[in-house]
């Protein structure tokens, strides 16, 4: 059963981007959004005026942290063949009650795709911490979300600013 990575976060973060669960390429490389056709890092570079491609994975994470943005996944572990969100089964959510206690400045949560949003709502709809958050579902940056162009995705993700 694959497991997600630890969050990229620090005490200055006020925003959180949540994916569903890392895909095969990301798990192999132990990096968020490692698939070369996933538009996530290209979108982040465009939004924040960073050079793309990045020099290193640390540069990617530091770009987000420098803009007070944490990065994590909704699902801690699951059963899935391949990388498609539609194949996720037996999803186990991360411990968000602990996360939001540890990082109380995080108030805006952006979801990379509907699966991330739906899994979060399903797991935490009656949790009290959810009342203090603004939840913003965004289109998936995955290459599987081919009905939207890069420019359409970039425009939607500009709410991060």
């Amino acid at each position: 059963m694959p497991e997600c990575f630890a969050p990229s976060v620090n005490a200055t973060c006020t925003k959180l981007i949540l994916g569903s669960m890392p895909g095969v390429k990301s798990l192999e490389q132990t990096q968020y959004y490692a698939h070369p056709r996933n538009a996530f890092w290209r979108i982040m570079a465009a939004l924040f005026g960073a050079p793309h491609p990045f020099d290193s994975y640390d540069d990617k994470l530091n770009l987000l942290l420098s803009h007070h943005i944490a990065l994590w996944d909704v699902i801690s572990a699951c059963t899935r063949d391949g990388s498609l969100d539609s194949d996720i089964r037996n999803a186990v959510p991360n411990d968000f009650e602990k996360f939001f206690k540890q990082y109380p400045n995080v108030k805006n949560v952006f979801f990379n795709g509907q699966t991330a949003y739906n899994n979060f709502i399903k797991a935490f709809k009656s949790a009290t911490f959810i009342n203090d958050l603004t939840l913003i579902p965004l289109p998936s940056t995955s290459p599987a979300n081919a009905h939207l162009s890069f420019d359409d995705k970039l425009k939607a993700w500009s709410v991060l600013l």
Side-chain angles (χ1 to χ4, degrees):
M1 186 178 271
E3 296 185 9
C4 83
F5 314 130
S8 173
V9 62
N10 64 34
T12 70
C13 289
T14 58
K15 300 173 184 175
L16 170 63
I17 297 173
L18 290 174
S20 55
M21 177 73 187
V24 171
K25 190 61 99 174
S26 292
L27 291 168
E28 288 171 357
Q29 295 185 22
T30 321
Q31 295 183 10
Y32 285 106
Y33 305 105
H35 192 288
R37 288 190 7 245
N38 191 304
F40 183 82
W41 293 114
R42 189 171 154 215
I43 288 171
M44 295 304 117
L47 288 177
F48 298 112
H52 188 270
F54 290 85
D55 289 335
S56 70
Y57 181 61
D58 283 342
D59 286 349
K60 295 174 180 179
L61 297 178
N62 288 333
L63 174 69
L64 295 181
L65 292 173
S66 72
H67 288 89
H68 313 291
I69 301 170
L71 184 62
W72 205 17
D73 283 308
V74 173
I75 299 169
S76 170
C78 69
T79 304
R80 176 174 65 185
D81 295 327
S83 297
L84 293 177
D85 281 355
S86 58
D87 292 337
I88 291 173
R89 297 179 313 285
N90 307 315
V92 177
N94 274 308
D95 187 348
F96 285 98
E97 187 164 351
K98 179 180 176 184
F99 178 90
F100 289 113
K101 280 183 183 169
Q102 189 169 355
Y103 301 101
N105 293 329
V106 175
K107 297 297 181 194
N108 296 296
V109 183
F110 301 84
F111 295 89
N112 190 347
Q114 201 62 43
T115 300
Y117 178 77
N118 291 343
N119 275 278
F120 186 87
I121 294 298
K122 179 180 175 187
F124 301 107
K125 65 182 170 224
S126 35
T128 55
F129 68 79
I130 204 169
N131 299 326
D132 297 329
L133 304 174
T134 300
L135 307 178
I136 303 154
L138 294 168
S140 173
T141 60
S142 167
N145 184 14
H147 76 279
L148 288 180
S149 70
F150 174 81
D151 289 338
D152 291 337
K153 291 176 185 180
L154 178 61
K155 183 177 180 182
W157 277 85
S158 68
V159 301
L160 205 56
L161 301 173

